[in-house]
Amino acid sequence: MDTLLTYQKQSDKTILVCDPDFISSTLVSSMVKNKLGTKCLTASDGRAGAQAVREGDIDLIITEVYLPYLSGCAMIELIRNEINATVPILLLSSDVSIKMKENLNQTLVNAFAEKPINLDQLMTKISFLLQVNEETLWLS
């Protein structure tokens, strides 16, 4: 039995998945494409992720904390402070501690999700982040 809910198709949206782990990034991007119909871009390091935001019209960023060359936290700060992008950001990591949430307050990250991935919870957060105004976003 499929436990995933039915989600509204959003084929006009583009999601950037930043994760150095090929299996994780492939799983997340495939799941999002199949369930929501969105376009997905992937980046395996923070520099490539920041460059993708500079170059494209990204509607949501899903990123791991631990990225090579430029950490996920540094990439998020660069995106917010230098690129000045207000795109919603979901931090997906095995290290989503209370301290991490405090360090990346709501002006930097809009939602957090932990690995191992709970597909239902992740899809719910992704769907929500794609549908609401980024100024009102904050999920735990």
Side-chain angles (χ1 to χ4, degrees), residues 8-41:
Q8 181 180 14
K9 294 289 183 185
Q10 300 195 29
S11 57
D12 61 328
K13 305 287 186 176
T14 301
I15 295 176
L16 172 64
V17 179
C18 300
D19 198 314
D21 180 45
F22 178 77
I23 294 172
S24 284
S25 70
T26 301
L27 172 70
V28 171
S29 61
S30 295
M31 177 189 63
V32 170
K33 280 188 239 182
N34 290 335
K35 296 295 177 186
L36 298 177
T38 61
K39 179 179 176 187
C40 282
L41 306 174

Side-chain angles (χ1 to χ4, degrees), residues 1-9 31 34-36 118-125 127:
M1 182 169 119
D2 186 8
T3 59
L4 289 176
L5 303 172
T6 302
Y7 299 95
Q8 181 180 14
K9 294 289 183 185
M31 177 189 63
N34 290 335
K35 296 295 177 186
L36 298 177
N118 176 314
L119 296 178
D120 285 337
Q121 288 177 355
L122 182 62
M123 285 304 300
T124 299
K125 289 179 182 190
S127 262

Side-chain angles (χ1 to χ4, degrees), residues 57-127:
D57 188 20
I58 306 295
D59 297 293
L60 173 65
I61 299 167
I62 301 171
T63 188
E64 168 63 70
V65 173
Y66 301 106
L67 298 174
Y69 306 116
L70 186 65
S71 75
C73 295
M75 180 188 75
I76 291 166
E77 289 177 3
L78 177 75
I79 289 167
R80 292 293 193 230
N81 299 325
E82 290 182 33
I83 300 173
N84 294 319
T86 58
V87 58
I89 299 174
L90 186 150
L91 188 71
L92 176 62
S93 182
S94 56
D95 181 19
V96 182
S97 64
I98 292 172
K99 185 174 181 172
M100 174 80 62
K101 287 181 179 182
E102 289 171 356
N103 289 340
L104 295 169
N105 64 38
Q106 67 188 34
T107 61
L108 296 175
V109 174
N110 304 98
F112 297 88
E114 291 188 63
K115 289 181 181 176
I117 299 168
N118 176 314
L119 296 178
D120 285 337
Q121 288 177 355
L122 182 62
M123 285 304 300
T124 299
K125 289 179 182 190
I126 290 169
S127 262

